[in-house]
Amino acid sequence: MRAATRLAPLGLPRARADVATGSGAGGNETLVSSLFLAPALFAYGLFVLLPLLHTIWLSLFEWDGVSEQKFIGLDNYLEIVTNAQLAGAFLHSAVLILLYAGVAIGLALLVVAAISRSALGASGLYRTLLFLPQVVPTVVVGISWRWILAPEGLLNSLLDRLGLGFLTRSWLADFDTALIALGLVGAWQLYGLFMLMFIAGVQKISPSLYEAARLDGAGPVQEFFSVTLPGLRQELVLAVMLATIAAISSFDLIYTTTRGGPGTSTTVPALEVYRRAFAYADAGSAAAVGTVIAAIVLALVVLLGRVTRERRES
Amino acid sequence: MQTSTTEKLVSHLILITLSVLAVLPILGLAFAAFNGSGRPISGIEIPSLWTLENFYRAWAKGKFGQTLWNSAAIALIVVVGTTVLSALAGYAFAVLRFRGKNVIFVLFLIGLVVPGEAMIVPLYYDIREFFPFLRGNYGTIALPQIGKFLAFGVFWMRTAFAAIPSEMTEAARLDGAGSVEIFRSILLPLVRPALLTLAVLVFMWSWNDFLLPLVMLANSPRLQTAPLSLAAFSGQRLTDVVGLSAAALIVSVPIIAFYLVFQRQLVRGVLQGALQ
């Protein structure tokens, strides 16, 4: 601070321009930079980048984890398409993506539409409660919902009491309902976060836009579609991304509730990675599934990132 | 903006309903945990007779003392490692000039979105083969976690350092201060709030991490983390609803308490971090 005040009369903007072009006092700082950067790059490279590359490499081999690796080209990838159980896992995660994103985002949007007119924020206690599902370990979430959805659980006893006893079933053990039930649990885990994200986003929209819409005689529905929704574009894209990543790698939840059952009706790619590598001794196939997961997520992020950038520019 | 009272009331009602729905499953678990055993619990039941017997049973059977300690120790190591390395690298990316900056930064961005499933297979085999000294100690889980969380940490700290007006560093530089000195005595105090937020987030992520400890600690029963021991416990005692609830509560209470203390940092960190 002391130096800054002393420099002020000399004209800071010029000094700043010098530094920015690299001709100032700093010059090339490659040596210092590498000292600052090396520890992080070392840890990240060793435990993230190299394993990621090694996964791609392993996916080209048949390997049980012990004996010699046998190069088989793209066979492991071919298996993902041809093996019904593997293809099924990817289909299941597509269903989960739809439920996670659709239900959680839909619910959060509905809430925002309802409360944005009254200019309410989600502060204090609301925020504390809505964020809680993000904090609790997923194992606990799994145990809790396993109990709610059990044959003698909360949901069935509620249905009984409402006279809807004919609907009761063992939700997580039923081939027809297990996957959908898990999708709704995932949506439950996410909707509070999305609500907070959207409410924060709405508060950034200029109030004058709402006033203008009202002067034009816009009702709540019109106001939502012409002001709120466009203003939340960035948050919406992000929510889709988060829901997709959560759905495709929802290992914790599935592992602690159904473990892929009944049958193979709730398997997801992440569970297949785990099983193939550590139960079926098929590390190559596990690596191929892992690579495809990474590719899907990266492609989606790049795609969605491009969509937001184009929209923002136009 | 004028708003009618009815609109406000409806808004509050919606917020209350969804807020309650967000905690109901956990609350139901908490109530069940205090109920006497020997009776099926099928709903949110406020115990008529509060008892701690489920907690004693769960604590004795689940080895939660040991696993809670493991989780805390691992989380602390990971918090220290991640914040220190992120601060150093974030400073380099935001303030210093060097070749290959953008390429290296993009490499860090990859780790921000790629899920752990894509790394887990080689991590298991390679650590056994190339880092035998990590077997049987916290490093086997802490180091991969530090690597994983660095992607966000570097990103987060770069933003924090970049937000500081460059006048501050230039003035010091013209005064003859070196990069290390500028980092330590001028910039580091200014990014302390960002560092705290990062530390809080990393603590929570480390505590709740599941797949990595499940795989890496499969052969180290002494090192099991709290969520792992809960998963194992729940696998053995499927029908003991009240005991399982007590165990789930034992594992959740520390992280929920942590959340209540640091909720400002946590919520803001997740919302901001996600949006960047």
Side-chain angles (χ1 to χ4, degrees):
Chain A
M1 289 310 268
R2 179 182 51 86
T5 36
R6 194 150 48 81
L7 262 176
L10 294 174
L12 265 175
R14 198 153 43 88
R16 186 194 221 159
D18 281 349
V19 176
T21 51
S23 59
N28 192 350
E29 295 161 322
T30 303
L31 183 70
V32 189
S33 307
S34 45
L35 288 177
F36 276 96
L37 206 55
L41 201 56
F42 184 71
Y44 180 74
L46 216 52
F47 296 105
V48 177
L49 286 182
L50 281 181
L52 187 60
L53 291 176
H54 198 181
T55 299
I56 300 172
W57 175 254
L58 272 182
S59 73
L60 305 174
F61 292 85
E62 186 184 313
W63 188 40
D64 60 7
V66 187
S67 41
E68 207 159 315
Q69 304 180 359
K70 186 176 146 218
F71 183 81
I72 53 165
L74 296 176
D75 281 5
N76 284 325
Y77 292 96
L78 207 64
E79 195 196 354
I80 295 178
V81 192
T82 52
N83 180 314
Q85 191 182 332
L86 267 180
F90 279 95
L91 277 181
H92 297 153
S93 74
V95 174
L96 289 183
I97 291 172
L98 285 181
L99 285 167
Y100 280 25
V103 176
I105 294 177
L107 195 60
L109 274 183
L110 217 64
V111 172
V112 169
I115 71 171
S116 63
R117 274 174 81 89
S118 54
L120 271 184
S123 53
L125 190 60
Y126 292 140
R127 203 181 62 169
T128 307
L129 299 179
L130 283 170
F131 194 74
L132 195 77
Q134 291 293 309
V135 177
V136 180
T138 307
V139 189
V140 174
V141 171
I143 288 175
S144 170
W145 281 95
R146 221 168 61 189
W147 164 67
I148 292 173
L149 299 172
E152 307 289 319
L154 175 62
L155 182 59
N156 281 345
S157 74
L158 202 70
L159 287 172
D160 265 335
R161 233 170 283 176
L162 292 174
L164 297 169
F166 61 94
L167 283 176
T168 59
R169 62 182 71 208
S170 181
W171 299 93
L172 287 177
D174 191 314
F175 278 89
D176 297 330
T177 55
L179 186 62
I180 292 170
L182 286 174
L184 294 178
V185 173
W188 168 83
Q189 225 178 346
L190 285 171
Y191 82 81
L193 174 69
F194 290 169
M195 267 176 72
L196 294 178
M197 263 166 54
F198 294 165
I199 290 172
V202 164
Q203 283 167 339
K204 275 186 276 178
I205 299 175
S206 160
S208 60
L209 285 177
Y210 282 103
E211 271 157 33
R214 271 179 219 189
L215 284 179
D216 288 346
V221 176
Q222 216 176 339
E223 187 180 284
F224 175 75
F225 282 106
S226 62
V227 182
T228 309
L229 210 50
L232 286 179
R233 188 176 296 135
Q234 210 192 340
E235 284 81 3
L236 275 169
V237 168
L238 186 76
V240 172
M241 250 187 243
L242 290 175
T244 307
I245 294 177
I248 209 163
S249 65
S250 52
F251 176 82
D252 311 15
L253 184 65
I254 309 277
Y255 183 84
T256 49
T257 49
T258 62
R259 301 222 174 170
T264 56
S265 61
T266 60
T267 56
V268 289
L271 191 72
E272 288 296 330
V273 172
Y274 177 76
R275 281 188 175 165
R276 268 152 210 276
F278 306 112
Y280 306 164
D282 193 352
S285 172
V289 177
T291 306
V292 172
I293 294 178
I296 291 177
V297 172
L298 275 177
L300 186 88
V301 168
V302 170
L303 192 80
L304 286 177
R306 187 159 296 166
V307 170
T308 36
R309 216 168 309 128
E310 272 168 13
R311 292 256 183 88
R312 214 178 303 159
E313 275 161 10
S314 63
Chain B
M1 212 187 293
Q2 83 226 22
T3 331
S4 72
T5 336
T6 337
E7 268 180 349
K8 269 224 156 85
L9 204 68
V10 171
S11 301
H12 273 293
L13 263 175
I14 292 173
L15 277 173
I16 290 171
T17 311
L18 286 168
S19 306
V20 169
L21 187 66
V23 293
L24 212 58
I26 311 298
L27 210 63
L29 218 57
F31 283 138
F34 289 100
N35 265 303
S37 57
R39 207 167 56 86
I41 307 282
S42 61
I44 311 281
E45 291 187 25
I46 297 174
S48 50
L49 201 67
W50 293 73
T51 165
L52 290 175
E53 62 169 291
N54 301 318
F55 291 92
Y56 296 137
R57 194 171 67 249
W59 188 269
K61 294 254 164 69
K63 299 199 181 78
F64 291 112
Q66 177 67 39
T67 61
L68 285 169
W69 169 254
N70 288 339
S71 278
I74 291 167
L76 280 179
I77 298 170
V78 173
V79 164
V80 172
T82 310
T83 46
V84 170
L85 298 193
S86 300
L88 292 172
Y91 170 68
F93 279 121
V95 179
L96 301 176
R97 285 171 302 281
F98 54 94
R99 284 174 55 190
K101 191 172 178 173
N102 290 338
V103 177
I104 301 177
F105 192 65
V106 168
L107 287 181
F108 274 101
L109 287 183
I110 292 175
L112 212 52
V113 289
V114 172
E117 286 84 14
M119 278 82 87
I120 194 70
V121 180
L123 267 180
Y124 175 76
Y125 290 107
D126 292 350
I127 285 191
R128 281 205 323 182
E129 190 169 358
F130 300 116
F131 304 97
F133 53 91
L134 288 180
R135 287 178 74 180
N137 61 56
Y138 291 142
T140 191
I141 187 76
L143 286 176
Q145 279 192 352
I146 290 175
K148 185 162 114 180
F149 301 148
L150 267 175
F152 176 82
V154 168
F155 189 57
W156 178 254
M157 290 318 295
R158 185 189 83 138
T159 312
F161 281 114
I164 298 170
S166 52
E167 283 87 351
M168 308 215 47
T169 44
E170 279 139 34
R173 182 152 292 168
L174 291 176
D175 253 11
S179 296
V180 178
E181 206 182 324
I182 291 175
F183 171 72
R184 212 185 43 204
S185 51
I186 301 181
L187 297 181
L188 213 48
L190 289 173
V191 296
R192 205 173 286 155
L195 270 179
L196 176 65
T197 302
L198 178 62
V200 168
L201 284 172
V202 168
F203 187 91
M204 180 180 76
W205 291 334
S206 170
W207 184 279
N208 288 345
D209 196 15
F210 192 73
L211 178 64
L212 201 58
L214 180 73
V215 170
M216 305 304 288
L217 302 177
N219 304 317
S220 323
R222 268 187 327 108
L223 299 179
Q224 298 281 303
T225 62
L228 286 184
S229 61
L230 178 61
F233 187 83
S234 90
Q236 294 154 11
R237 308 184 70 85
L238 281 170
T239 50
D240 180 9
V241 172
V242 286
L244 197 49
S245 304
L249 211 58
I250 289 173
V251 172
S252 320
V253 161
I255 196 69
I256 291 179
F258 181 81
Y259 164 57
L260 292 179
V261 173
F262 292 108
Q263 67 162 301
R264 224 159 39 106
Q265 283 83 6
L266 259 178
V267 178
R268 201 195 311 140
V270 169
L271 290 183
Q272 274 178 13
L275 276 178
Q276 271 169 9

